[in-house]
Amino acid sequence: MYSIGQVAEMFGLPISTLRYYDKQGLFPNMERVSGIRKFSEAEIEALRVIECLKKAGMEIKDIRQFMDWCLEGPATYPQRKAMFEAQRVHMEAELEQMNRTLDMLKFKCWYYEQAIKDGSEDRLKSLIPDHLPEGIQKAYENAHS
């Protein structure tokens, strides 16, 4: 069993966040000893899932729904699977957008590195959009898609 302070340190979270999660019902079976929260391995694993889902952009109310479904048992497997599939699609779209952004940054870094070497942008402007070096061409095209 872990104290709230130990768990906060393990996950790099403020104690207030753990209290909030508990008040939102995300740790339904948490034990208390003289009113003090005690985190078991079950709460630690739940917290790993909670933090993953938060990083994936899921709202607390939806995470609470997932936790409720877990308590309801196997009959809710289809709902849980659908929730994770929807979140995966959302994350894949975000990753795609982030990759386009990263490619724009790669292109611009290359562009200004060349401009510094050349002392101007004249040559570079004549390369855009179809005569860039291969790797930079792909980054440029992805960033502009």
Side-chain angles (χ1 to χ4, degrees):
M1 300 296 268
Y2 301 93
S3 71
I4 196 167
Q6 290 170 315
V7 174
E9 190 172 315
M10 285 168 57
F11 284 85
L13 294 170
I15 290 173
S16 60
T17 297
L18 296 172
R19 288 187 181 123
Y20 174 74
Y21 290 170
D22 186 29
K23 287 178 185 168
Q24 294 302 309
L26 300 181
F27 306 122
N29 299 317
M30 184 183 302
E31 286 186 40
R32 284 180 171 68
V33 178
S34 300
I36 297 172
R37 295 170 179 90
K38 294 294 179 183
F39 290 76
S40 70
E41 288 301 323
E43 283 79 37
I44 298 299
E45 183 56 29
L47 190 52
R48 285 187 184 105
V49 173
I50 292 164
E51 287 301 292
C52 172
L53 296 175
K54 276 189 57 200
K55 287 175 185 169
M58 193 174 285
E59 295 181 23
I60 293 294
K61 68 179 179 63
D62 296 322
I63 296 171
R64 168 71 194 271
Q65 177 64 72
F66 169 74
M67 300 304 244
D68 289 346
W69 284 335
C70 290
L71 292 174
E72 291 175 31
T76 64
Y77 287 165
Q79 292 95 322
R80 291 185 246 174
K81 180 178 181 278
M83 177 181 273
F84 279 100
E85 286 176 344
Q87 205 59 35
R88 187 193 72 221
V89 167
H90 170 76
M91 283 298 303
E92 288 170 347
E94 285 207 17
L95 280 171
E96 192 174 308
Q97 179 57 48
M98 289 178 78
N99 280 323
R100 280 194 299 276
T101 302
L102 181 58
D103 279 340
M104 177 62 85
L105 293 171
K106 287 177 185 176
F107 168 71
K108 289 297 187 179
C109 287
W110 173 85
Y111 182 93
Y112 287 110
E113 180 181 321
Q114 298 303 307
I116 290 167
K117 287 179 186 175
D118 292 357
S120 78
E121 299 175 56
D122 296 341
R123 179 181 66 88
L124 297 168
K125 289 178 181 177
S126 70
L127 297 177
I128 297 171
D130 298 322
H131 303 294
L132 295 163
E134 185 179 340
I136 298 302
Q137 183 74 41
K138 287 180 183 176
Y140 178 87
E141 288 170 0
N142 189 45
H144 291 82
S145 64

